[in-house]
Amino acid sequence: MATRVCFLVDGFNVYHSIVEALEQHKAKPMKWLDLIGLCRSYLSAIGRDATLERVFYFSAPADFSPPKAERHATYVAALRHTGVAVQLGRFKEKDVRCPKCGATFKRHEEKETDVAVAVKLLELFTVNACDAIALVTGDTDLAPAIRTAKALFPDKRIWAVFPFRRLNLELKALAHGSIKIKAKAYFSHQLPNPLKVSDTELIWKPPGW
């Protein structure tokens, strides 16, 4: 019997990983990432009988920066067209004080992603939507959710899929198995440009992506 696998992708973790990967491979396109293709490429590492059930992408629009928000919206539209389930959180403005000069400035922090991933992890197991979940992140904040899921659903499996340069030893120890994404996997799995939505609609990759 096939092992149904759902991938939960921490969008910001992956994005910052791609930014670091671009430092080594500047000429390679990476941001127009085909998440379905990327996740499917790791199924054989999870199990010989593993099948892709669904890919979930968690992120937030950078409303404080219209150009960034527009590029991100374009990518989200492309992901949704390919079948990725997208769940968006929000950014919260925060006052930060410089410890050296004492000046106060604004910083925007992404909120809700970790909680959203944790809730989805438990939800999918509760409704028996899959047999295994692959968490594409290197964020330690998900450790409590993994512990809870393992206690409540001992027959289910959790894999830690670490984005490039995002290895987390705590998550690796908690998961039933782990995978490390290499930089070359990003530019090997890019969406077509343009992405054809219909005979009259195309989605073009943002400049520089």
Side-chain angles (χ1 to χ4, degrees):
M1 187 174 179
T3 299
R4 300 165 300 155
V5 184
C6 283
F7 283 75
L8 308 187
V9 181
D10 181 338
F12 281 101
N13 216 265
V14 171
Y15 176 79
H16 290 296
S17 167
I18 289 174
V19 170
E20 292 188 24
L22 284 168
E23 294 176 0
Q24 292 186 4
H25 306 274
K26 296 183 185 297
K28 298 289 186 179
M30 294 191 190
K31 294 181 180 179
W32 197 232
L33 187 62
D34 176 5
L35 286 183
I36 296 286
L38 180 71
C39 293
R40 185 174 282 121
S41 72
Y42 292 111
L43 287 174
S44 60
I46 292 174
R48 185 180 303 174
D49 60 347
T51 61
L52 183 62
E53 190 70 17
R54 196 95 194 258
V55 175
F56 296 85
Y57 172 80
F58 301 84
S59 187
D63 294 329
F64 55 89
S65 174
K68 288 183 179 180
E70 183 177 355
R71 292 192 293 269
H72 186 249
T74 299
Y75 182 55
V76 165
L79 289 181
R80 283 178 167 148
H81 177 69
T82 64
V84 174
V86 177
Q87 186 167 333
L88 299 178
R90 61 189 176 89
F91 275 93
K92 183 178 180 180
E93 191 173 78
K94 179 180 179 180
D95 289 327
V96 179
R97 188 179 183 86
C98 176
K100 293 184 178 180
C101 68
T104 301
F105 58 94
K106 300 291 185 181
R107 174 178 291 173
H108 295 87
E109 293 185 347
E110 183 272 329
K111 295 293 183 181
E112 301 179 10
T113 293
D114 294 335
V115 174
V117 174
V119 170
K120 182 60 68 174
L121 167 65
L122 296 174
E123 174 195 329
L124 291 172
F125 280 165
T126 298
V127 300
N128 193 30
C130 57
D131 307 301
I133 286 178
L135 297 173
V136 186
T137 185
D139 197 334
T140 305
D141 289 344
L142 288 173
I146 296 176
R147 294 190 189 97
T148 301
K150 289 175 67 177
L152 293 176
F153 307 98
D155 293 333
K156 302 292 188 181
R157 292 293 177 264
I158 299 173
W159 280 72
V161 181
F162 299 116
F164 176 69
R165 288 187 177 175
R166 291 294 184 278
L167 176 63
N168 185 303
L169 295 180
E170 182 176 0
L171 295 187
K172 182 178 180 180
L174 285 172
H176 296 96
S178 65
I179 298 167
K180 289 194 293 184
I181 298 177
K182 296 182 179 179
K184 65 181 181 180
Y186 292 142
F187 59 78
S188 295
H189 295 91
Q190 295 290 295
L191 293 168
N193 186 38
L195 179 67
K196 185 176 181 180
V197 176
S198 67
D199 290 338
T200 58
E201 184 180 358
L202 302 172
I203 299 178
W204 290 88
K205 177 172 67 173
W209 277 41

